[in-house]
Amino acid sequence: VCISESIPSCSVTVIADKFTPNTTSDVAAGMLIPHIFPDTPVHQQKQWFRETFDYLSGICNSSQASEAGIHLVSGWQIFKTIPEKKTPFWSDVVLGFRSMTEKEMKKFPQHKFGQAFTTLKCDCPPYLLWLEKRLKENGGYVHVRKIEDLWELHSDYDIIVNCSGIGSRKLMRDREIHPIRGQVLKVHAPWIKHFIRDGDGLTYIYPGIHDVTLGGTRQKDNWNLSPDPSTSKGIFDRCCALEPSLHTAQDVKARVGLRPSRSSVRLQKEILVRGSEKLPVVNNYGHGSGGFSVHQGTAKEATRLIKECIAVLEMSRCKAKL
Ligand SMILES: Cc1cc2nc3c(=O)[nH]c(=O)nc-3n(C[C@H](O)[C@H](O)[C@H](O)COP(=O)(O)OP(=O)(O)OC[C@H]3O[C@@H](n4cnc5c(N)ncnc54)[C@H](O)[C@@H]3O)c2cc1C
Ligand SMILES: O=C([O-])CC(=O)C(=O)O
């Protein structure tokens, strides 16, 4: 969508073997709370987060908010031990960041410290469906197809943008990207209006427009996409310990997603070469636990790289004509 809006002369086709509701993004809660990419400078991560937050705030403040599945949500991140840094790098991007008061902490007797803030949440499938609609309105196309080798696309497209997430392990033979398995429960509990996240990242309660996401797990190098019933029980019990009213939640569904994890998002150009032929590729994958939190920032950077590829293509076509 970002490419089709920034470079209207570009014809954009999205090709994937799975679309909503069957992607990793559909499993996620879609909360805008950044996760650290250890090998990406913090100022870069902050810029991606700020761009994403500002972009989604604009949608949230428009009449499109409900269809796009974007909403504000306030709540608490709580810690059993006081974190080294009480104020994270993103504290001035979210709204109203502050330490929790003693009165607020009384709800969580096992925890010693907490942060209160308001952030945004993107609900999927609505957000993905809305993006797809916008792409089509901009003249874009959508095809269901599995790609075994990017070179398959060589004769039909000038530039490939690789956003294949965990699929890049096979497609790009990238040994650095690995799954961090996440199991969550989606439950009906419409009285839950505030989010609660344990700072250890293993227990969270995220209310969305239609359901509440309860998490979670972080299992490195585990490719199993089937929900495990004992893990579901553990998640439910941990969430009920933080928010006992969840005991009466209904319609509990377990889902699993594989976070496409790397030490940094791979956001760079690459030229594939076969004989005298070249195929420019812009990679934009490896968003790990934080794809929603930085997606617009990384999309803008990918779009800038595509503009560079277009400039090179135009120059070589000019030269060929001379
Ligand atoms: C349990 C859980 C909770 C999460 N919660 C949050 C959260 O609250 N906030 C947040 O910011 N992030 C969260 N995340 C992380 C977020 O979900 C990911 O960072 C994000 O979904 C990655 O998006 P993606 O588009 O790169 O990958 P995907 O959503 O996996 O999309 C990749 C696409 O590429 C296609 N594809 C791959 N290989 C091929 C191929 N060979 N041929 C054709 N198509 C291919 C797939 O079919 C798919 O359509 C969570 C993740 C999990 C698992
Ligand atoms: O950790 C969280 O708060 C939610 C999330 O991003 C994940 O499970 O990957």
Side-chain angles (χ1 to χ4, degrees), residues 15-18 23-25 27-31 145-147 163-165 167 171 182 184 204 257-260 287-293:
I15 302 174
D17 60 345
K18 288 187 183 137
T23 69
T24 314
S25 307
V27 177
M31 287 290 287
R145 172 173 162 189
K146 186 166 174 74
I147 306 296
C163 305
S164 57
L171 195 59
V184 293
Y204 49 75
L258 305 178
R259 300 177 183 88
H287 293 70
S289 297
F292 282 88
S293 307

Side-chain angles (χ1 to χ4, degrees), residues 224-276:
N224 185 1
L225 277 169
S226 305
D228 169 55
S230 71
T231 304
S232 292
K233 185 178 178 315
I235 292 170
F236 193 71
D237 290 349
R238 290 199 306 278
C239 289
C240 285
L242 290 181
E243 181 52 68
S245 70
L246 280 170
H247 276 296
T248 53
Q250 302 277 307
D251 201 13
V252 180
K253 291 191 190 82
R255 296 217 49 192
V256 174
L258 305 178
R259 300 177 183 88
S261 298
R262 286 177 109 253
S263 58
S264 60
V265 177
R266 183 160 182 232
L267 193 37
Q268 59 187 195
K269 284 184 292 185
E270 179 178 9
I271 310 283
L272 304 184
V273 181
R274 296 233 174 136
S276 60

Side-chain angles (χ1 to χ4, degrees), residues 14-20 22-35 37 49 52 120-122 124 128 143-150 152 162-172 177 180-186 197 204 206 213-218 255-261 284-295:
V14 174
I15 302 174
D17 60 345
K18 288 187 183 137
F19 282 84
T20 189
N22 299 314
T23 69
T24 314
S25 307
D26 287 286
V27 177
M31 287 290 287
L32 264 73
I33 302 179
H35 289 257
F37 299 104
F49 181 55
T52 307
L120 288 153
K121 184 175 177 312
C122 295
C124 286
L128 288 173
H143 290 170
V144 180
R145 172 173 162 189
K146 186 166 174 74
I147 306 296
E148 302 295 343
D149 182 336
L150 289 185
E152 288 168 30
N162 172 28
C163 305
S164 57
I166 196 65
S168 287
R169 186 165 171 104
K170 197 162 167 224
L171 195 59
M172 306 310 285
I177 190 162
I180 298 191
R181 180 180 182 277
Q183 182 164 326
V184 293
L185 304 176
K186 305 272 178 181
R197 179 182 202 269
Y204 49 75
Y206 289 140
T213 304
L214 309 182
T217 67
R218 309 188 110 84
R255 296 217 49 192
V256 174
L258 305 178
R259 300 177 183 88
S261 298
N284 181 14
Y285 66 84
H287 293 70
S289 297
F292 282 88
S293 307
V294 296
H295 73 280

Side-chain angles (χ1 to χ4, degrees), residues 27-246:
V27 177
M31 287 290 287
L32 264 73
I33 302 179
H35 289 257
I36 302 281
F37 299 104
D39 288 351
T40 303
V42 169
H43 72 87
Q44 176 72 89
Q45 301 186 47
K46 185 165 178 174
Q47 185 187 328
W48 289 341
F49 181 55
R50 192 189 292 283
E51 285 170 348
T52 307
F53 197 92
D54 292 349
Y55 158 79
L56 290 177
S57 291
I59 300 167
C60 190
N61 290 325
S62 77
S63 59
Q64 298 281 301
S66 162
E67 189 189 344
I70 310 295
H71 59 106
L72 284 166
V73 56
S74 301
W76 301 295
Q77 171 154 245
I78 49 176
F79 298 83
K80 289 190 201 82
T81 52
I82 299 178
E84 230 170 77
K85 265 192 96 184
K86 285 187 173 174
T87 311
F89 73 82
W90 43 265
S91 60
D92 59 348
V93 179
V94 297
L95 308 175
F97 185 95
R98 60 176 172 79
S99 293
M100 283 167 70
T101 61
E102 255 177 57
K103 199 169 173 186
E104 285 172 310
M105 288 305 296
K106 283 210 170 98
K107 185 173 163 76
F108 309 106
Q110 309 294 322
H111 293 76
K112 289 203 165 64
F113 172 75
Q115 301 158 336
F117 55 95
T118 299
T119 189
L120 288 153
K121 184 175 177 312
C122 295
D123 283 15
C124 286
Y127 185 55
L128 288 173
L129 290 170
W130 183 73
L131 288 176
E132 198 173 313
K133 187 174 126 184
R134 273 174 62 194
L135 177 81
K136 287 178 178 164
E137 281 168 2
N138 297 340
Y141 304 94
V142 168
H143 290 170
V144 180
R145 172 173 162 189
K146 186 166 174 74
I147 306 296
E148 302 295 343
D149 182 336
L150 289 185
W151 198 262
E152 288 168 30
L153 302 167
H154 170 255
S155 52
D156 294 327
Y157 303 96
D158 296 316
I159 303 167
I160 307 303
V161 188
N162 172 28
C163 305
S164 57
I166 196 65
S168 287
R169 186 165 171 104
K170 197 162 167 224
L171 195 59
M172 306 310 285
R173 295 187 191 82
D174 181 341
R175 296 290 125 194
E176 205 205 313
I177 190 162
H178 57 274
I180 298 191
R181 180 180 182 277
Q183 182 164 326
V184 293
L185 304 176
K186 305 272 178 181
V187 307
H188 185 68
W191 60 90
I192 303 287
K193 302 292 182 202
H194 272 63
F195 76 81
I196 304 172
R197 179 182 202 269
D198 191 309
D200 68 10
L202 292 178
T203 308
Y204 49 75
I205 300 166
Y206 289 140
I209 298 171
H210 300 293
D211 57 19
V212 183
T213 304
L214 309 182
T217 67
R218 309 188 110 84
Q219 296 160 284
K220 192 167 183 260
D221 293 327
N222 186 329
W223 290 87
N224 185 1
L225 277 169
S226 305
D228 169 55
S230 71
T231 304
S232 292
K233 185 178 178 315
I235 292 170
F236 193 71
D237 290 349
R238 290 199 306 278
C239 289
C240 285
L242 290 181
E243 181 52 68
S245 70
L246 280 170

Side-chain angles (χ1 to χ4, degrees), residues 291-306:
F292 282 88
S293 307
V294 296
H295 73 280
Q296 181 66 10
T298 53
K300 278 178 80 167
E301 175 64 12
T303 301
R304 195 185 62 72
L305 296 175
I306 291 153

